[in-house]
Amino acid sequence: MEIKLKVNGINKVVTIKDGEYLQPVLKRLGYLNVRKACETGSCGLCTVLLNGKPVLSCSTLAIRAVEKEITTLEGESIEVEKFAEVLTNEGADQCGYCSPGFTLTVIAMKRELESPTIEEIKHYLTGNLCRCTGYMGQLRAVKKYMEVK
Amino acid sequence: MFTIKQHLIVGSIEEGYEILIKNRNNMILGGTAFLRLGNKNINIGIDMSNLDLDYIKEDENNIEIGPMTTFRSIETNKLLNDKFNGIVAKSVKEIVGIQLRSIVTAGATVASKYGFSDFITALLSLDTYIELYKGGIISLEEYLAEEKVPKDILVRIIIKKDGKKAIFKTMRNSKSDYALLNCGVSRLNKEYRVAIGARPGRALVKIIKEKDLMENNEMNKKIDEILDEMKFGTNMRASGEYRKMVAKVLIRRSIEELK
């Protein structure tokens, strides 16, 4: 079936299979940083924002994204640049594979939570796994980013 | 991975029900986050996402949760954080991550009677009912006791506002993993309502009278009695023996906190 999706403010027409999830559809549309890994809905790598809220695109039916605002990393270039700077300064970019999903979740958190505690930050980010180990650098970067006006 | 021959967004619950009963492989779609882990062949996937069934509201006697309400909405809802010591909101907080909780729906979890469910355990410790489109209103306990998942549509979840105090505790091997045991305990009128889930079977509920817990040894004895009435199974997360021991500790702690 043919559906219309609004990705980063741009309307796209795409043909999907019945029951198809959003992640492969976005990949077909050229959003290559919307990656899949675990395929069990537990790693957060495929995170995109749907109406500003982080969701797993690997577990969201593409048809349910119709008439909603889909945001990938490309749609948040200003915030991504700010966060990328603190992330690299803290040596937390590591291999970078999980960074797109992680970054989008952090951006959503910044908009949703006002002056979060460390525990609230950790809780918000529980769904983003990093295989490089060492979440401390990421946490330092997030703390700095949250303080950036 | 499951397959769907036809994905159909319905315009009413009635339309969804008519399609559901036409073919045994027609199925109501919830969040589809858990469905993807199986390999079901679905003929028509019935999608109710356009029916405004995502709500949490209250009236004088009840709190109602719509079937398409996500766990994230439940987690952040003020009403559910305030009532019953926030047990319903707390029960979903440790489930994987925010991104998954923004997809998973209350209706699909309850209707499917998932044994691992933290949410069902919390609801079962309260006075909870569900309304089925054809089956009408029945208690959650009664619904879970039936072996099969009926060919019906869960229309709403109803929690009686009876002033219960409640506590939810869960044991996990690692944060964001499925629970190896869930425990929900509520207290009202000198009676404790103890729900145990992730045994790993479906959650069960037992009643303990306060008078039976008067002395320390009596509490252990009474908890042992109700645990002996439940089956605890073994899977990759824990053995049945370990689950039973954990259940005893969590029930005891919950009762002590509710005293």
Side-chain angles (χ1 to χ4, degrees):
Chain A
M1 73 177 92
E2 201 170 76
I3 61 168
K4 286 177 188 167
L5 295 177
K6 194 172 184 183
V7 190
N8 302 326
I10 301 163
N11 291 315
K12 306 264 182 182
V13 178
V14 61
T15 302
I16 62 162
K17 288 178 250 169
D18 284 68
E20 191 169 21
Y21 284 116
L22 187 56
Q23 187 274 333
V25 176
L26 289 173
K27 198 138 195 170
R28 278 208 301 281
L29 288 171
Y31 299 97
L32 302 182
N33 62 59
V34 185
R35 296 164 180 158
K36 69 173 178 182
C38 71
E39 290 209 77
T40 61
S42 51
C43 77
L45 214 73
C46 63
T47 300
V48 296
L49 306 183
L50 207 56
N51 286 348
K53 304 287 179 198
V55 298
L56 298 174
S57 62
C58 78
S59 302
T60 300
L61 292 168
I63 201 165
R64 289 191 177 161
V66 173
E67 293 178 12
K68 290 180 180 156
E69 298 276 346
I70 304 163
T71 309
T72 67
L73 210 62
E74 293 89 341
E76 289 285 358
S77 54
I78 295 169
E79 288 302 311
V80 169
E81 205 170 307
K82 283 183 200 168
F83 183 59
E85 193 182 336
V86 283
L87 199 70
T88 47
N89 286 346
E90 293 299 330
D93 46 337
Q94 301 175 141
C95 85
Y97 197 70
C98 70
S99 294
F102 177 67
T103 303
L104 280 172
T105 311
V106 171
I107 290 169
M109 174 171 66
K110 191 180 178 185
R111 287 178 186 146
E112 192 176 330
L113 304 183
E114 205 175 308
S115 309
T117 63
I118 296 297
E119 283 312 308
E120 284 169 336
I121 290 172
K122 283 181 182 173
H123 180 73
Y124 204 100
L125 298 175
T126 306
N128 288 89
L129 303 182
C130 168
R131 269 90 174 168
C132 293
T133 78
Y135 290 98
M136 295 316 291
Q138 292 183 343
L139 193 59
R140 282 197 308 274
V142 171
K143 277 160 63 183
K144 286 198 174 165
Y145 172 69
M146 298 296 279
E147 285 157 13
V148 172
K149 299 288 174 197
Chain B
M1 177 70 107
F2 70 95
T3 57
I4 297 180
K5 242 185 211 172
Q6 189 189 350
H7 186 138
L8 194 68
I9 297 175
V10 292
S12 68
I13 294 174
E14 186 183 2
E15 185 191 350
Y17 180 76
E18 292 304 323
I19 296 164
L20 180 68
I21 57 171
K22 268 187 189 158
N23 184 315
R24 63 193 292 265
N25 292 326
N26 292 352
M27 198 174 185
I28 303 289
L29 302 176
T32 72
F34 185 70
L35 195 65
R36 76 191 308 282
L37 303 180
N39 53 5
K40 279 197 165 71
N41 291 315
I42 299 166
N43 183 44
I44 300 177
I46 302 157
D47 193 327
M48 305 199 302
S49 58
N50 277 3
L51 301 183
D52 294 328
L53 296 173
D54 177 354
Y55 62 82
I56 298 162
K57 60 186 181 185
E58 70 172 331
D59 60 25
E60 203 179 320
N61 303 313
N62 304 318
I63 294 172
E64 291 184 14
I65 302 174
M68 293 304 286
T69 307
T70 66
F71 276 7
R72 181 65 179 154
S73 299
I74 289 168
E75 177 190 355
T76 55
N77 182 267
K78 189 176 181 318
L79 177 64
L80 294 177
N81 274 283
D82 289 345
K83 295 284 179 193
F84 314 110
N85 305 74
I87 185 177
V88 180
K90 281 177 192 161
S91 73
V92 300
K93 272 184 179 159
E94 301 300 328
I95 298 169
V96 191
I98 278 176
Q99 301 95 324
L100 187 83
R101 296 198 293 276
S102 296
I103 298 166
V104 173
T105 61
T109 301
V110 174
S112 304
K113 310 184 184 187
Y114 291 142
F116 55 78
S117 172
D118 311 61
F119 181 58
I120 289 177
T121 307
L123 291 179
L124 196 58
S125 71
L126 304 173
D127 195 12
T128 304
Y129 297 79
I130 59 163
E131 183 176 351
L132 299 170
Y133 181 66
K134 282 291 167 188
I137 296 175
I138 57 168
S139 73
L140 178 61
E141 188 180 352
E142 197 183 334
Y143 179 71
L144 294 174
E146 287 171 27
E147 183 69 26
K148 287 186 178 172
V149 173
K151 272 279 185 193
D152 208 333
I153 298 176
L154 193 152
V155 178
R156 61 186 171 136
I157 297 164
I158 307 157
I159 309 169
K160 295 281 174 196
K161 289 197 317 193
D162 52 10
K164 276 189 172 74
K165 287 195 159 84
I167 283 180
F168 178 78
K169 291 187 184 294
T170 179
M171 183 77 169
R172 286 164 150 79
N173 285 327
S174 64
K175 201 174 170 79
S176 86
D177 189 12
Y178 287 97
L180 66 86
L181 196 96
N182 286 322
C183 170
V185 181
S186 69
R187 183 190 181 202
L188 185 71
N189 298 333
K190 297 181 178 180
E191 194 174 272
Y192 294 91
R193 194 176 158 86
V194 180
I196 300 293
R199 298 171 295 105
R202 280 176 200 164
L204 288 173
V205 66
K206 300 284 174 189
I207 305 294
I208 299 178
K209 303 274 186 198
E210 199 168 81
K211 65 179 170 58
D212 295 333
L213 304 172
M214 295 306 279
E215 287 174 26
N216 198 36
N217 287 339
E218 287 300 310
M219 185 190 286
N220 283 331
K221 198 175 148 192
K222 194 64 203 170
I223 294 171
D224 282 338
E225 272 176 34
I226 66 162
L227 291 178
D228 285 342
E229 292 168 13
M230 296 179 181
K231 278 187 185 166
F232 290 85
T234 298
N235 65 7
M236 62 184 285
R237 288 189 172 76
S239 68
E241 292 88 340
Y242 182 63
R243 283 191 157 96
K244 196 172 177 181
M245 288 164 75
V246 170
K248 187 173 179 176
V249 174
L250 297 189
I251 294 170
R252 191 188 167 95
R253 284 181 187 169
S254 301
I255 289 174
E256 280 171 353
E257 285 175 41
L258 286 170
K259 264 183 184 173

